Amino acid sequence: MNQNIHMPAEEEIYYLSEFYKVFGDSTRIKILYILLDQELCVNDIAQALSMTPSSISHQLRILKQHRLVKFRRDGKTIYYSLADHHVENILSQGLEHIEE
């Protein structure tokens, strides 16, 4: 084994593996793609994906826990958007990798 490789701490490896599990669900990936260019509320996302608002809310909760989406409240409506540019990079690099 190459002695110059820096192995992250065990705890970091655990969190990284948990982070990548989030991308193991196609609905969550679709939600992230929908949010690439615009912020949307749960109902708009549900309509775009032909799913129920409750199933979208469940997936958004997971995406929020992993800091992949952020939200803002406007009256009674909550709008979701990508947390930062890293999320877009993760999606584009993953797609680039599988298209090679």
Side-chain angles (χ1 to χ4, degrees):
M1 188 167 155
N2 187 338
Q3 297 295 326
N4 296 328
I5 294 176
H6 168 70
M7 181 68 68
E10 195 64 38
E11 184 178 22
E12 288 178 312
I13 288 177
Y14 170 78
Y15 287 122
L16 188 59
S17 71
E18 291 299 307
F19 175 76
Y20 280 119
K21 286 178 188 176
V22 175
F23 294 92
D25 182 278
S26 60
T27 298
R28 289 193 287 266
I29 292 176
K30 288 176 187 176
I31 291 170
L32 293 173
Y33 269 103
I34 286 175
L35 296 176
L36 272 175
D37 297 322
Q38 58 190 333
E39 65 174 14
L40 294 170
C41 66
V42 170
N43 288 335
D44 291 340
I45 297 168
Q47 186 175 4
L49 295 179
S50 301
M51 295 178 70
T52 65
S54 68
S55 62
I56 296 299
S57 291
H58 171 72
Q59 300 302 339
L60 284 167
R61 197 166 26 260
I62 294 167
L63 292 169
K64 280 192 304 189
Q65 286 172 344
H66 289 274
R67 299 180 315 193
L68 293 167
V69 297
K70 61 184 177 183
F71 64 94
R72 72 172 180 86
R73 185 179 298 276
D74 185 6
K76 291 184 177 183
T77 307
I78 299 174
Y79 291 94
Y80 293 88
S81 59
L82 296 184
D84 57 38
H85 70 279
H86 295 116
V87 180
E88 188 174 347
N89 291 343
I90 292 165
L91 290 172
S92 65
Q93 287 184 354
L95 194 58
E96 187 179 313
H97 178 74
I98 63 165
E99 289 176 345
E100 252 182 32

